[in-house]
Amino acid sequence: MKKIFVLDTNVLLQDPNAVFAFEDNDVIIPAIVLEEIDSKKRLADEIGRNARFVSRLLDGFRAQGKLHDGVLLENGGTLKVELNHRSFEKMQETFADMSNDNRIIAVALNYAHEEMGKTDPKPVIVVSKDTLVRIKADVLGLTAQDYLSDRIVSLTDMYAGCLTLLTHPAIIDEFYSYRFLSVSSLQLSYKLHPHEFVILKDELGTSKSALLKVNADGKRLEPLFLSNDPIWGIGARNVQQRMALELLLNDEIPLVTLTGKAGTGKTLLALAAGLMKIEDEHKYKKMLIARPVVPMGKDIGYLPGEKNEKLRPWMQPIFDNLEFLFDTKKTGDIEKILAGMGSIEVEALTYIRGRSIPGQFIIIDEAQNLSRHEVKTIVSRVGEGSKIILVGDPDQIDHPYLDASSNGLTYVVERFKNESISGHITLERGERSNLAQLAADLL
């Protein structure tokens, strides 16, 4: 049975190709949605880009016919800009405010009442990423759902980068004897990914165990090639941190993703690895550190000064970690050190578009606040001989149209998990302080 999907503005601003995601059903765009999209098209960010894309997409459909009459989509569905079902009469007793959200719901409600009078009524469904819109629609007896086509994976199913296997002690002994294991010898019912870490434990309950890593072709389990010695004064405090350093310091893995709660050491480990590769091994020409300018809470508005002065409040977490690594004692020392070295560049992601970045160690902090398009733009900037690290916590998203399942960091983790040039690890244990760990767990 065909269905009628009424789209909220936020669906199109999140995924401008959303009109193609509903198979052979009817897609309705209320007229008020066009006005809201028009109000966003001058923005210079991702939302503005998507608003302009939707505008051009709808303009292209005009060649097929009148949008208010409906045009045929390539998947067999229809697209219609709704002008005739705007009456507020059926919902004004419940929600009297003529807000834009309520106007969108009114279109769906009027469609639903119209369909009820037909012999073969179509279900009417409101699609919105706004929780309150879905709740209001539900109160009025309408079916409402989140837009799920942009979700890569649920957070509980997200690739962690490591797993623990119970096995016979003879398998562990075999590894220590030959210093490798064939993946087939484990007789697993699922596939292991390149550079995935495996902890083998004795199924008989002894303390015998082994830490291994899948090689690039996914066929062998090998020992970690790094010792556990500190780098730039930073040593691994838990097994996941050791796994992270294994990926960060491996020059054969140009893309590394690190996820985890606040205080697990993601950014600090990435910076320490970068300093070692640049200053000690001279593997890369420069370390570029960037993060998206997305505020937590109310924006502080325009800031005075030159570019570096404007960026300092946004980049302060990076400077805090660098001050720890360089063990600075006075305010302003880190700026003098960085100016003297000349090999570390701290930048906002606003200025990375259009660049080609060869031979550099690139760290993108707070990558969970990037959309799929933005993360594609960033990773595609990576030039020959560069290594890029994406760091973030999918549970801490400040972007209004992203969540743990649809952000750019999760997208990269899932799309690259089968690739030999990438590695991922989820850090679980907080090492900032006991208080920080409790806050991450309890709050």
Side-chain angles (χ1 to χ4, degrees), residues 27-98:
V27 177
I28 307 299
I29 300 178
I32 189 63
V33 169
L34 298 184
E35 295 184 27
E36 289 192 316
I37 289 175
D38 184 64
S39 69
K40 304 291 186 183
K41 68 183 183 183
R42 291 175 180 81
L43 297 178
D45 56 11
E46 179 76 1
I47 294 173
R49 189 197 73 87
N50 287 346
R52 294 188 292 273
F53 184 94
V54 172
S55 301
R56 292 191 296 269
L57 183 67
L58 294 178
D59 186 51
F61 280 126
R62 292 195 307 112
Q64 300 182 29
K66 301 292 186 182
L67 292 179
H68 62 270
D69 292 331
V71 295
L72 190 65
L73 297 173
E74 58 187 23
N75 54 11
T78 60
L79 171 67
K80 185 177 182 180
V81 174
E82 185 50 58
L83 301 175
N84 301 320
H85 291 78
R86 297 175 296 167
S87 172
F88 211 67
E89 180 180 349
K90 290 182 175 62
M91 65 179 294
Q92 62 184 1
E93 292 183 4
T94 308
F95 300 111
D97 183 17
M98 292 281 285

Side-chain angles (χ1 to χ4, degrees), residues 124-380:
V124 178
I125 302 168
V126 177
V127 183
S128 175
K129 299 196 71 66
D130 188 330
T131 306
L132 288 178
V133 168
R134 299 199 299 269
I135 292 173
K136 286 181 179 181
D138 186 69
V139 168
L140 292 167
L142 292 168
T143 302
Q145 64 184 39
D146 192 1
Y147 179 66
L148 302 178
S149 293
D150 64 334
R151 292 196 173 184
I152 301 97
V153 66
S154 66
L155 196 58
T156 55
D157 295 329
M158 182 176 168
Y159 174 56
C162 70
L163 56 85
T164 299
L165 296 176
L166 297 178
T167 187
H168 194 277
I171 299 293
I172 301 175
D173 292 337
E174 180 184 345
F175 166 70
Y176 283 117
S177 297
Y178 297 101
R179 303 303 295 169
F180 80 91
L181 278 177
S182 169
V183 170
S184 60
S185 67
L186 297 177
Q187 297 182 344
L188 300 175
S189 59
Y190 49 86
K191 179 183 177 183
L192 294 179
H193 304 288
H195 306 301
E196 185 172 8
F197 295 92
V198 177
I199 301 173
L200 296 181
K201 290 190 175 181
D202 185 356
E203 64 184 7
L204 302 180
T206 70
S207 60
K208 187 176 292 187
S209 64
L211 176 58
L212 308 87
K213 183 171 74 71
V214 182
N215 70 347
D217 63 15
K219 296 180 180 180
R220 284 166 54 109
L221 291 162
E222 301 173 343
L224 274 60
F225 79 95
L226 289 177
S227 67
N228 203 23
D229 296 334
I231 57 170
W232 274 71
I234 302 298
R237 293 189 176 185
N238 57 59
V239 66
Q240 278 85 24
Q241 286 194 354
R242 187 178 179 191
M243 295 172 184
L245 289 174
E246 182 81 9
L247 298 175
L248 290 167
L249 296 174
N250 189 337
D251 299 330
E252 302 300 317
I253 306 176
L255 171 63
V256 174
T257 50
L258 303 179
T259 61
K261 296 179 181 178
T264 51
K266 307 180 296 295
T267 305
L268 185 63
L269 290 172
L271 288 170
L275 288 170
M276 180 176 179
K277 288 294 178 181
I278 293 166
E279 297 300 321
D280 299 343
E281 298 181 6
H282 305 289
K283 174 66 180 177
Y284 304 96
K285 296 182 295 184
K286 185 185 292 187
M287 179 162 62
L288 172 63
I289 312 156
R291 69 200 312 256
V293 180
V294 179
M296 183 185 73
K298 189 175 181 180
D299 197 343
I300 59 177
Y302 292 101
L303 298 172
E306 299 296 326
K307 186 187 80 168
N308 289 339
E309 295 174 293
K310 292 175 183 290
L311 289 178
R312 184 58 190 256
W314 304 105
M315 301 296 119
Q316 189 59 48
I318 301 296
F319 285 101
D320 290 342
N321 282 293
L322 289 172
E323 287 173 353
F324 179 81
L325 289 169
F326 284 100
D327 193 24
T328 58
K329 304 298 182 184
K330 297 179 181 179
T331 302
D333 282 354
I334 190 64
E335 284 86 352
K336 296 176 183 176
I337 293 173
L338 296 181
M341 293 174 63
S343 59
I344 300 177
E345 180 182 357
V346 181
E347 188 66 276
L349 282 177
T350 308
Y351 304 103
I352 205 171
R353 183 187 292 271
R355 295 180 61 180
S356 180
I357 311 173
Q360 297 190 27
F361 193 94
I362 308 162
I363 301 173
I364 308 298
D365 196 24
E366 300 294 332
Q368 77 277 4
N369 283 320
L370 298 172
S371 69
R372 289 188 291 179
H373 174 77
E374 288 170 329
V375 84
K376 177 182 178 181
T377 300
I378 292 163
V379 176
S380 62

Side-chain angles (χ1 to χ4, degrees), residues 106-121:
V107 169
L109 188 63
N110 292 330
Y111 260 105
H113 279 273
E114 183 180 275
E115 289 296 316
M116 287 171 60
K118 297 180 179 180
T119 55
D120 188 19

